[in-house]
Amino acid sequence: MLLTILAWLLALAAAVPLAIFVLEVAVGLPNARRRAAAGSGGRVVVLIPSHNETLGVAPTIEALKAMAPAGTHILVVADNCSDDTAAVARAAGAEVIERNDATARGKGYALAFGRDHIANGEAPDVVVVMDADCRLAPGSVEALTAAAMRGQPAQAINLIAPDLTAMPMTQIGSFAMVVKNLYRSRGMTRMGGSALLTGTGMAFPWKLFAAADLGSASLVEDLGLGIELVKAGHATLLVEEAGVSSAPPPPDAALAQRTRWEHGFMHTARNTAMPLLGSGLRRGALKEVLLACHLLVPPLALLLMVATLVLAITLGLWAVGGSIIPAAMLATIYATALLLVFIAWLHGGRRWLSGTALLTAPLYILWKLPIYLGFVRRRETEWRRTERTDG
């Protein structure tokens, strides 16, 4: 009996996040019917926080000017730069403001600085935030603006640009981002929840942006902002007519980038998921409950790693006299999750992940093991710029 109880406790601890993952992906897999973005007529400011982006900021500004509606204002915050980002951005045609504060470092502070500058002039209707190394797809500014004009924050589908010539680890990481930012986010919104803010390709009605608590050194300031907005009744709309992408980081920078993202996510989830779930249940707030459930799911590699380990333990407990039912239940959900990941790859993931690279997925999980060990031993807390192929 004690062996069976232990097996059930372990199996349920692994099965709950697996089941949430299965539900989100299953609901999010079918394609949505895309609509042409209608003209919003709103005044738009595109805010680009930039730190040492000499080589990348001008192409970003030029690409944005070529596809954004007439009248779109581009504001670059050259944040703690030690290069000529500001001069390059001005030459490319953007308005530039410079911020220098070595004690307050991070994207959140740059956004707050830009917001305060905007507030000193004529207030826009919508603020679109994008990173200096990203590209918005044609029509994205219009689609994001139209969505934000409805009074809610809006998020474009944020993906890594496909590159089947990249290293297998890079390809798998890009595909994992497709699963999270497209299929899971779409599934959560279809169930009545909120999309996650991803830090780039996001838009806000000015009133929400003006009141947002932006000044932060958090590694995932966008995730925290999205949680606070949901708690305040402002769920984020996933705008499938809008897309934003960035080039894959070089192999030597990919692990560092993943470490920052995933340590920030796990730290935020650990501190907010259960209180958010309790609050949502008490108030009958479905969006809070769904967001809390989403936060209970660790990054995909860690989810599969833990599920594999727990499955092995529950099978071991069965072998020494416990019930087989907990292991069978977990194995069923585990197999379903793997099947849905494979279907997601067949459905759209092959643009990001080749079949040959897919076969190296177990090595990818081992490659990420230092990230999770590092979270236990010494969590990453400091923001650092990711080195990119464009500089």
Side-chain angles (χ1 to χ4, degrees):
M1 179 66 71
L2 290 177
L3 292 175
T4 298
I5 292 174
L6 178 58
W8 271 115
L9 290 174
L10 291 172
L12 287 173
V16 168
L18 267 178
I20 295 169
F21 175 86
V22 164
L23 183 59
E24 288 180 345
V25 175
V27 175
L29 270 171
N31 286 330
R33 188 180 352 180
R34 297 201 171 198
R35 302 179 298 266
S40 61
R43 181 172 181 270
V44 181
V45 172
V46 178
L47 178 59
I48 306 176
S50 304
H51 173 69
N52 289 349
E53 296 284 358
T54 296
L55 298 181
V57 70
T60 296
I61 294 169
E62 290 163 2
L64 183 59
K65 288 167 62 179
M67 51 80 66
T72 300
H73 185 71
I74 302 173
L75 174 63
V76 172
V77 178
D79 185 59
N80 284 306
C81 294
S82 57
D83 62 6
D84 56 352
T85 294
V88 170
R90 287 192 186 97
E95 180 187 5
V96 180
I97 55 175
E98 299 182 59
R99 175 182 176 271
N100 292 286
D101 186 343
T103 63
R105 296 174 57 85
K107 182 177 175 181
Y109 294 113
L111 291 176
F113 190 74
R115 187 261 312 277
D116 293 344
H117 176 79
I118 295 170
N120 289 328
E122 182 183 355
D125 297 295
V126 172
V127 176
V128 175
V129 176
M130 65 177 294
D131 288 342
D133 64 321
C134 291
R135 297 291 183 273
L136 286 170
S140 295
V141 174
E142 296 93 325
L144 287 169
T145 301
M149 292 284 283
R150 294 159 54 184
Q152 298 292 98
Q155 174 64 55
I157 297 175
N158 178 18
L159 303 174
I160 298 294
D163 182 3
L164 295 180
T165 66
M167 298 287 289
M169 300 301 103
T170 300
Q171 291 186 45
I172 295 172
S174 297
F175 171 65
M177 194 165 176
V178 173
V179 173
K180 181 176 178 62
N181 287 354
L182 175 56
Y183 296 122
R184 289 185 61 199
S185 190
R186 180 196 279 166
M188 188 161 58
T189 56
R190 285 178 175 173
M191 289 186 288
S194 169
L196 294 182
L197 292 171
T198 66
T200 185
M202 50 188 190
F204 304 89
W206 170 248
K207 287 184 179 180
L208 287 185
F209 195 69
D213 183 12
L214 298 175
S216 166
S218 170
L219 300 181
V220 283
E221 76 292 324
D222 43 282
L223 177 62
L225 175 59
I227 292 170
E228 292 304 314
L229 288 171
V230 168
K231 290 165 66 175
H234 304 292
T236 299
L237 304 168
L238 183 66
V239 183
E240 299 208 32
E241 298 78 25
V244 62
S245 63
S246 58
D252 58 348
L255 188 62
Q257 184 185 63
R258 290 284 170 181
T259 300
R260 291 195 300 276
W261 285 353
E262 297 193 15
H263 281 197
F265 175 85
M266 291 187 291
H267 176 71
T268 300
R270 183 181 64 186
N271 292 336
T272 62
M274 294 309 296
L276 186 64
L277 179 61
S279 170
L281 291 173
R282 286 193 304 271
R283 301 196 298 119
L286 177 63
K287 288 179 171 55
E288 289 185 30
V289 171
L290 289 174
L291 179 55
C293 288
H294 182 90
L295 294 173
L296 290 173
V297 181
L300 182 56
L302 180 58
L303 177 67
L304 296 178
M305 191 186 302
V306 171
T308 302
L309 178 62
V310 173
L311 181 58
I313 293 173
T314 54
L315 287 171
L317 292 173
W318 165 64
V320 295
S323 171
I324 187 60
I325 297 177
M329 179 272 298
L330 178 57
T332 300
I333 300 176
Y334 185 34
T336 304
L338 291 177
L339 177 61
L340 283 171
V341 170
F342 182 68
I343 293 173
W345 177 72
L346 291 174
H347 183 268
R350 285 177 290 181
R351 290 181 56 207
W352 286 267
L353 176 62
S354 68
T356 301
L358 178 62
L359 296 177
T360 67
L363 296 178
Y364 176 78
I365 293 175
L366 293 177
W367 178 69
K368 292 186 68 176
L369 185 58
I371 293 178
Y372 308 126
L373 294 177
F375 182 75
V376 176
R377 295 173 180 172
R378 188 172 183 271
R379 178 175 65 87
E380 181 71 57
T381 59
E382 183 178 351
W383 179 88
R384 296 183 181 90
R385 178 184 181 273
T386 299
E387 296 302 324
R388 308 182 183 99
T389 54
D390 65 0

